[in-house]
Amino acid sequence: MRLLVTGGCGFIGANYIHYLFETEPGCEVVNLDKLTYAGNPLNLRSVEERHGASGDGRYRFVRADIADARAVADVFAEHRFDAVVNFAAESHVDRSIDDPSPFVTTNVLGAQVLLDAARKASVGRFVHISTDEVYGSLGPEGKFTETTPLAPNSPYSASKAAADLMVRAYVQTYGMDAVITRCSNNYGPYQFPEKLIPLMFDRASAGEPLPVYGDGGNVRDWIYVRDHCRGVHLALTRGAAGTVYNFGGNAEKTNLAVVRTILAALGKPESLITLVADRPGHDRRYAMDFSLAARELGFAPEFDFARGIGATIEWYAANRAWLDAVKSGEYLKFMEQWYGGRA
Ligand code: NAD
Ligand code: TYD
């Protein structure tokens, strides 16, 4: 199996490439990544060592922008891919509130450029990685299904929904074999510390205040990243063309509950929790009905929240150097600008 994976130096993409080399004998992977602030080739160091140019040659990294049609065409001219898995995206809601424009360029235009290149190259399958956030926000009851109307509320989720519609258009118009996966909030190794769980781990370890938006009662359905990777691969290998698959972790938690779990695991006091000004347009609750993926793909999450958060905290504690290394000047500047005015 020869795959083009985009965004493979980010959190989920890197976990997926590790998963591929562990579970898919003989796979060959080209990882196309722009290396934005969120992309880190060190996430794949062991893959590079074993399977890169000085290893068995089954892994290759290409630094390029998915929105750059010429660079993308060059990659397709050089390789014949069985499938494309598109993880590349601007992924942080708060950054999209600060500046929506790169979200449109990468998430919408980038997806269309990739779709076009894959179509021209007659690639067998295109898997587009999307999110539950395209469905908007739930009240206290109910779950999102694949037929819930799209009602995105942030510039991030609007850009993801736009890309999903472009994928749909390529299926309907050109008969392209594409599948969309929509997953709930991921957590686990290599997640960039701007997202809730690694951010709170980092701050709590240092005894710093933990900025919780609003009343802390917003609910997310947390899925361990390895389970999401398995779901993506099932969608790639077994999904029906033109289908959308929801994935979730069966782990609905309020943000306060998540933060308290992290504090308890680290033996830190709850007095570190600081309620700050709410995120504008903050979705109240997400929950996923993934019965279609269960039925058609045999998907079920293997990690419950207690096991997943335990493994995650252990990983971050053992990889302090990774955490410190990704906190670049750009990261510190954004954090100061975003949180500086909120406390
Ligand atoms: P991330 O921000 O950790 O990684 C994104 C990666 O994409 C980085 O390596 C970055 O360098 C790369 N990238 C960004 N712009 C690019 C461009 N123009 N060209 C090429 N590469 C580019 O994101 P993540 O959390 O790993 O999310 C991956 C995908 O999964 C995204 O599409 C996101 O919308 C989706 N998703 C994420 C979650 C979650 O909880 N993190 C949940 C559901 C879906
Ligand atoms: P996040 O990890 O940014 O994921 P998403 O917005 O895609 O769900 O945030 C998860 C939840 O945590 C969300 O309800 C916002 C909240 N949150 C805070 O309360 N404080 C923070 O500093 C951050 C980053 C998030």
Side-chain angles (χ1 to χ4, degrees):
M1 183 183 282
R2 210 170 280 152
L3 296 180
L4 175 64
V5 175
T6 69
C9 293
F11 163 47
I12 307 173
N15 277 282
Y16 181 65
I17 291 175
H18 282 290
Y19 176 85
L20 278 175
F21 281 104
E22 284 163 32
T23 61
E24 194 60 62
C27 69
E28 291 173 35
V29 177
V30 174
N31 170 17
L32 185 155
D33 195 300
K34 183 181 173 182
L35 297 183
T36 67
Y37 76 94
N40 183 356
L42 286 180
N43 297 353
L44 290 163
R45 189 161 51 185
S46 61
V47 168
E48 182 72 61
E49 281 165 7
R50 267 179 233 143
H51 305 294
S54 53
D56 64 15
R58 292 197 284 135
Y59 171 75
R60 177 136 171 240
F61 172 65
V62 177
R63 185 172 190 179
D65 182 341
I66 58 164
D68 178 344
R70 176 158 307 174
V72 168
D74 286 348
V75 173
F76 278 85
E78 204 182 321
H79 304 270
R80 278 203 69 78
F81 298 114
D82 299 311
V84 175
V85 186
N86 180 30
F87 290 97
E90 289 290 338
S91 68
H92 190 37
V93 172
D94 294 336
R95 285 181 189 256
S96 83
I97 294 168
D98 197 44
D99 179 9
S101 117
F103 287 74
V104 176
T105 310
T106 287
N107 300 2
V108 188
L109 176 62
Q112 184 270 324
V113 165
L114 267 183
L115 282 161
D116 225 43
R119 178 173 77 88
K120 286 178 183 148
S122 304
V123 167
R125 167 144 290 188
F126 190 100
V127 181
H128 180 69
I129 310 304
S130 186
T131 163
D132 58 356
E133 303 192 24
V134 297
Y135 298 122
S137 185
L138 290 165
E141 302 296 324
K143 294 184 175 194
F144 298 130
T145 71
E146 289 83 356
T147 55
T148 301
L150 302 187
N153 292 316
S154 71
Y156 163 68
S157 53
S159 70
K160 294 297 291 183
D164 286 13
L165 293 178
M166 191 57 77
V167 174
R168 180 191 152 84
Y170 271 69
V171 171
Q172 300 298 324
T173 306
Y174 306 114
M176 203 161 151
D177 180 332
V179 171
I180 295 173
T181 63
R182 294 190 181 133
C183 190
S184 61
N185 285 63
N186 285 225
Y187 66 105
Y190 303 112
Q191 187 167 32
F192 195 77
E194 63 188 355
K195 305 282 167 54
L196 182 73
I197 289 178
L199 178 69
M200 297 301 162
F201 171 89
D202 190 34
R203 296 219 170 188
S205 321
E208 290 168 7
L210 309 184
V212 173
Y213 299 156
D215 65 1
N218 302 66
V219 173
R220 299 292 183 261
D221 170 13
W222 293 95
I223 182 171
Y224 191 63
V225 63
R226 181 93 179 174
D227 281 330
H228 182 197
C229 292
R230 231 174 357 91
V232 166
H233 204 54
L234 285 168
L236 167 62
T237 52
R238 293 195 206 161
T243 306
V244 177
Y245 292 101
N246 281 356
F247 294 110
N250 267 340
E252 281 187 56
K253 307 274 169 215
T254 64
N255 293 336
L256 274 177
V258 170
V259 171
R260 286 191 178 120
T261 304
I262 296 169
L263 286 170
L266 296 176
K268 298 287 180 175
E270 291 198 2
S271 56
L272 290 178
I273 296 174
T274 310
L275 297 181
V276 299
D278 209 353
R279 170 189 279 174
H282 195 176
D283 289 335
R284 188 65 183 173
R285 176 173 165 261
Y286 303 144
M288 288 301 250
D289 176 337
F290 54 86
S291 52
L292 182 70
R295 224 172 29 249
E296 290 196 0
L297 308 177
F299 172 80
E302 286 176 1
F303 286 77
D304 64 18
F305 188 71
R307 183 172 162 221
I309 196 77
T312 304
I313 289 172
E314 231 172 75
W315 187 87
Y316 278 96
N319 290 276
R320 192 65 245 180
W322 178 91
L323 199 49
D324 291 337
V326 299
K327 291 193 291 180
S328 64
E330 195 279 343
Y331 171 83
L332 297 173
K333 191 163 147 248
F334 175 78
M335 296 311 259
E336 173 53 30
Q337 178 193 325
W338 183 258
Y339 291 98
R342 300 183 88 78

